[in-house]
Amino acid sequence: MNQKIHPESYDDIIERNWPEGIKKTHQRIDIFKILYKEDLPISAADIYDTLIKEHPSEKYAFSTIYRNLIAFEKAGVVTKTVSSTEENALYELKSGKHRHFIICLKCHKRIPIKTCPLHDIMHDIEDTVPGFEVTGHSLEIYGYCNDCKSE
Amino acid sequence: MNQKIHPESYDDIIERNWPEGIKKTHQRIDIFKILYKEDLPISAADIYDTLIKEHPSEKYAFSTIYRNLIAFEKAGVVTKTVSSTEENALYELKSGKHRHFIICLKCHKRIPIKTCPLHDIMHDIEDTVPGFEVTGHSLEIYGYCNDCKSE
DNA sequence: TTGGTTGCAAAATGTTTGCATGACC
DNA sequence: GGTCATGCAAACATTTTGCAACCAA
């Protein structure tokens, strides 16, 4: 979602991706843009910091950020995740593509992996618990990245 | 770890499984027994409730529980997990066996699955990010259990 | 005896909520 | 203009920390 295809203004992008039934306020547009530009899961605090950095004259309340992340999530355009390497929740724009991360336990860098290792075996998993209807999964791979493993 | 092989007192079990370098206090022994008997990941609040139910005359502080869970974790006998279906951390005794759960999104029941779907493909995952040294992973399967899916 | 552990209270953290003001359609 | 969203402050829940009293080794 972060590849530049054509010179296209953010206004157009927002226009095409804006969720149904969510009123456009400048705060919501600002938050949406940050999520769009970031492409990686980020925390509410990250969003707040970016907001005040990009719009020093504006005011933003944490409650606004949280309320809107919840609103975006309910509208189906944002995914919330918790991770053992982070002490607070992370949010990302739902891009359509199913994605997992390989995460460095030292520097907490998150690298998306191209394919889902579980894609071909989801049915087998469902069979392991009779009557259970599987709808999804979460997966994180841990270890040490090239920069951190030497120490 | 919860199968009954021989009549064996908890004292013996504690004795054989007690971590190195951790002083035995009755609080720690009580917490350890609860984790041993429970076998599923439980929260600090669950442990507290069980403690005061099983030992109504004793006093326990949450700080003691948290401090000792951290101590057990550092000593390598307890695993802490965070989950998107729970708003607080869960703790379980490290049983040696690698385990994942299939979790109902409605009733939050956690059912261990017998095998690790990633077991045979961990090397492939490591190859997807050059230079990364994979040490572990977390996986949770979500859906609706037999009792909840009908509604 | 003595250093580690406990209970208590208070602090810290991340997140949510109540409410009056303000902004979007 | 009416309704919904915002900022602020306070509430909230979980977890952490400081400290004096206590207990296990």
Side-chain angles (χ1 to χ4, degrees):
Chain A
M1 204 164 185
N2 57 350
Q3 65 270 37
K4 309 264 186 303
I5 304 167
H6 279 301
E8 182 186 25
S9 75
Y10 275 121
D11 293 338
D12 294 337
I13 292 162
I14 301 281
E15 196 58 47
R16 283 191 295 98
N17 294 287
W18 197 258
E20 287 283 329
I22 301 283
K23 192 186 282 188
K24 275 185 195 162
T25 65
H26 84 80
Q27 292 91 338
R28 286 178 175 166
I29 293 170
D30 296 342
I31 293 169
F32 192 94
K33 279 185 190 172
I34 289 168
L35 290 169
Y36 182 86
K37 286 194 271 187
E38 178 54 38
D39 186 52
L40 287 174
I42 54 176
S43 68
D46 293 335
I47 293 171
Y48 179 82
D49 293 343
T50 310
L51 283 172
I52 56 172
K53 196 169 65 182
E54 296 189 349
H55 312 274
S57 58
E58 295 288 341
K59 283 191 174 178
Y60 299 92
F62 264 98
S63 49
T64 301
I65 298 173
Y66 280 113
R67 274 193 276 237
N68 288 332
L69 287 171
I70 292 167
F72 284 146
E73 194 186 12
K74 276 196 197 159
V77 295
V78 157
T79 304
K80 175 184 181 179
T81 47
V82 297
S83 169
S84 58
T85 61
E86 308 293 323
E87 70 273 19
N88 37 15
L90 301 181
Y91 301 84
E92 64 186 308
L93 227 48
K94 211 178 266 184
S95 64
K97 56 174 184 281
H98 179 77
R99 199 164 60 152
H100 298 296
F101 295 94
I102 189 164
I103 304 165
C104 178
L105 291 168
K106 186 153 183 294
C107 69
H108 292 193
K109 181 163 50 191
R110 306 172 87 82
I111 306 162
I113 58 178
K114 295 105 197 155
T115 60
C116 174
L118 297 170
H119 184 267
D120 297 329
I121 50 178
M122 283 301 278
H123 304 92
D124 305 348
I125 292 167
E126 197 162 38
D127 292 341
T128 62
V129 178
F132 204 101
E133 178 195 350
V134 171
T135 59
H137 62 267
S138 77
L139 167 66
E140 289 184 344
I141 317 287
Y142 304 118
Y144 295 95
C145 73
N146 210 16
D147 298 335
C148 294
K149 72 178 173 187
S150 42
E151 300 166 33
Chain B
M1 203 163 185
N2 56 350
Q3 64 272 34
K4 310 262 186 301
I5 305 167
H6 279 300
E8 184 186 25
S9 74
Y10 277 120
D11 293 338
D12 295 336
I13 292 162
I14 301 280
E15 195 59 46
R16 282 190 296 97
N17 295 287
W18 197 257
E20 287 285 326
I22 301 283
K23 193 187 279 189
K24 274 184 193 162
T25 65
H26 84 82
Q27 292 92 336
R28 285 179 174 164
I29 293 170
D30 296 342
I31 293 169
F32 192 95
K33 280 186 189 172
I34 288 169
L35 290 170
Y36 181 86
K37 285 194 273 188
E38 178 54 38
D39 187 52
L40 287 174
I42 54 177
S43 67
D46 293 335
I47 293 172
Y48 179 82
D49 294 342
T50 309
L51 282 173
I52 57 173
K53 195 169 67 182
E54 295 189 350
H55 312 275
S57 59
E58 296 286 340
K59 283 190 174 177
Y60 298 92
F62 264 98
S63 48
T64 301
I65 298 173
Y66 281 112
R67 276 193 276 235
N68 287 331
L69 287 170
I70 292 167
F72 283 145
E73 194 186 12
K74 275 195 199 160
V77 295
V78 156
T79 305
K80 175 184 181 178
T81 47
V82 297
S83 168
S84 58
T85 60
E86 309 293 323
E87 71 272 18
N88 37 14
L90 301 181
Y91 301 85
E92 66 186 306
L93 227 48
K94 210 178 268 182
S95 63
K97 58 172 182 282
H98 179 76
R99 199 164 59 153
H100 297 295
F101 294 94
I102 189 164
I103 303 165
C104 178
L105 291 168
K106 186 152 182 293
C107 70
H108 292 192
K109 181 164 48 191
R110 306 171 88 80
I111 305 162
I113 58 177
K114 296 106 197 156
T115 59
C116 173
L118 297 169
H119 183 266
D120 297 331
I121 50 179
M122 283 302 277
H123 305 92
D124 306 350
I125 293 167
E126 198 162 38
D127 292 342
T128 61
V129 179
F132 204 100
E133 177 195 350
V134 171
T135 60
H137 62 266
S138 77
L139 168 67
E140 289 184 344
I141 317 287
Y142 303 117
Y144 296 94
C145 72
N146 210 16
D147 299 336
C148 293
K149 71 177 174 187
S150 43
E151 300 167 34

